[in-house]
Amino acid sequence: MRQAINKASVQWRGGVEMAIFLNPSVSTTETTAIRSELSSTPGVKTYHFVDKPHAYTEFKEIFGGNNDIVSVLGVNDMPPSYRVVPTRAQDISQLGKQFVGQPGVLQVSYAKQEIDQLLHQFSQLRALGLFLAVGVMVGAVALIVNTIQLAIFARRREVAVMKLVGATNWFIRLPFMFEGLIHGIAGGIIAFAVTYGVRNTIASFVGNETVLGTRTLFVTPHEAVFTGILLLIVGAGVGALGSAFAIRRFLAV
């Protein structure tokens, strides 16, 4: 979800506080009129024009994980825009009202409003996600510890004999830690498969409609694989450490 939010903020790089999106069919006269007004408006520090090809490049970066949308819309469907950096950020709302409803203007968007809305929704879902993640991890550790303890209990006499003949704790501990590691990796693979399959469904819980009528947040397969690697590492670590914790009381002979 964090990856999706970072991608959704691509339009607001470089200190841009306001975007004036134009209709895809905007005329040259209307585009020039808006440029002239921006040039003569006090409070506009800098601005730049984003043409259709550049807008399409941004579009593919934002929606790269959704081939259905990317394949349907082309360069000519993209709304060009002016990206505005104000002299004072607190004046941006008043500045934007000046361009709302002008000929050729599709929508005026504000960086703070868009990003604050994303972050507000994200913080709520993150709190819920962390609560569920902690609960699942505690349950996973308990399950692994219980499984390993049952395995050790079934072999407690062998463990005791190995201790009596001089086997070190690590010599006894490693096979059980390896078993826990396998369980953890298996759990990580299952978690990755679920995350990969529903990544855009999860991301769609956050975000609002764009000027194209689509939701802003998508996660590419490459980004999902990065998350999957992290899940595998965490799963392996939880499995190995849980096993080490489970076996410690059986090593005191």
Side-chain angles (χ1 to χ4, degrees):
M1 199 173 289
R2 184 180 298 276
Q3 293 167 342
I5 288 177
N6 290 338
K7 184 181 297 184
S9 62
V10 65
Q11 295 173 327
W12 309 112
R13 292 171 181 167
V16 171
E17 293 285 347
M18 181 177 75
I20 304 172
F21 290 99
L22 309 180
N23 290 310
S25 59
V26 65
S27 67
T28 304
T29 302
E30 292 169 337
T31 303
T32 303
I34 295 171
R35 180 188 296 112
S36 299
E37 188 167 349
L38 282 170
S39 299
S40 61
T41 299
V44 176
K45 183 178 180 180
T46 61
Y47 68 89
H48 65 274
F49 182 68
V50 178
D51 59 13
K52 287 175 177 274
H54 190 176
Y56 189 65
T57 299
E58 284 186 350
F59 169 76
K60 289 192 293 184
E61 184 174 351
I62 295 172
F63 295 99
N66 193 312
N67 292 328
D68 293 336
I69 295 177
V70 173
S71 61
V72 169
L73 298 176
V75 175
N76 290 330
D77 299 310
M78 297 297 106
S81 62
Y82 284 100
R83 308 292 169 82
V84 182
V85 178
T87 304
R88 299 195 313 164
Q90 57 266 38
D91 296 335
I92 196 65
S93 179
Q94 188 64 34
L95 188 64
K97 291 177 182 178
Q98 184 175 334
F99 296 92
V100 174
Q102 287 202 17
V105 174
L106 175 63
Q107 178 179 309
V108 177
S109 298
Y110 306 97
K112 187 176 187 305
Q113 177 182 336
E114 297 281 344
I115 294 175
D116 283 353
Q117 182 178 1
L118 286 174
L119 292 178
H120 176 68
Q121 294 174 324
F122 172 69
S123 63
Q124 293 177 323
L125 291 173
R126 180 178 60 181
L128 176 61
L130 286 175
F131 176 78
L132 293 175
V134 170
V136 170
M137 183 168 290
V138 170
V141 170
L143 181 62
I144 290 173
V145 168
N146 185 61
T147 301
I148 298 300
Q149 283 186 339
L150 287 175
I152 297 171
F153 184 78
R155 305 170 196 162
R156 63 191 183 280
R157 292 183 179 177
E158 291 90 336
V159 170
V161 170
M162 292 173 69
K163 286 286 293 181
L164 290 174
V165 298
T168 65
N169 287 344
W170 276 108
F171 183 82
I172 300 171
R173 183 184 287 123
L174 283 176
F176 295 103
M177 289 183 66
F178 183 74
E179 183 177 346
L181 181 73
I182 297 301
H183 287 304
I185 292 176
I189 291 173
I190 294 173
F192 168 59
V194 173
T195 302
Y196 188 88
V198 301
R199 63 188 187 279
N200 287 328
T201 302
I202 295 173
S204 68
F205 294 154
V206 181
N208 54 351
E209 297 297 317
T210 69
V211 292
L212 297 171
T214 52
R215 301 190 71 85
T216 56
L217 302 186
F218 291 94
V219 180
T220 64
H222 175 75
E223 293 163 336
V225 168
F226 176 79
T227 302
I229 293 172
L230 181 62
L231 288 173
L232 291 175
I233 293 173
V234 172
V238 168
L241 294 177
S243 300
F245 175 81
I247 196 174
R248 75 191 196 289
R249 73 185 182 91
F250 291 94
L251 297 178
V253 176

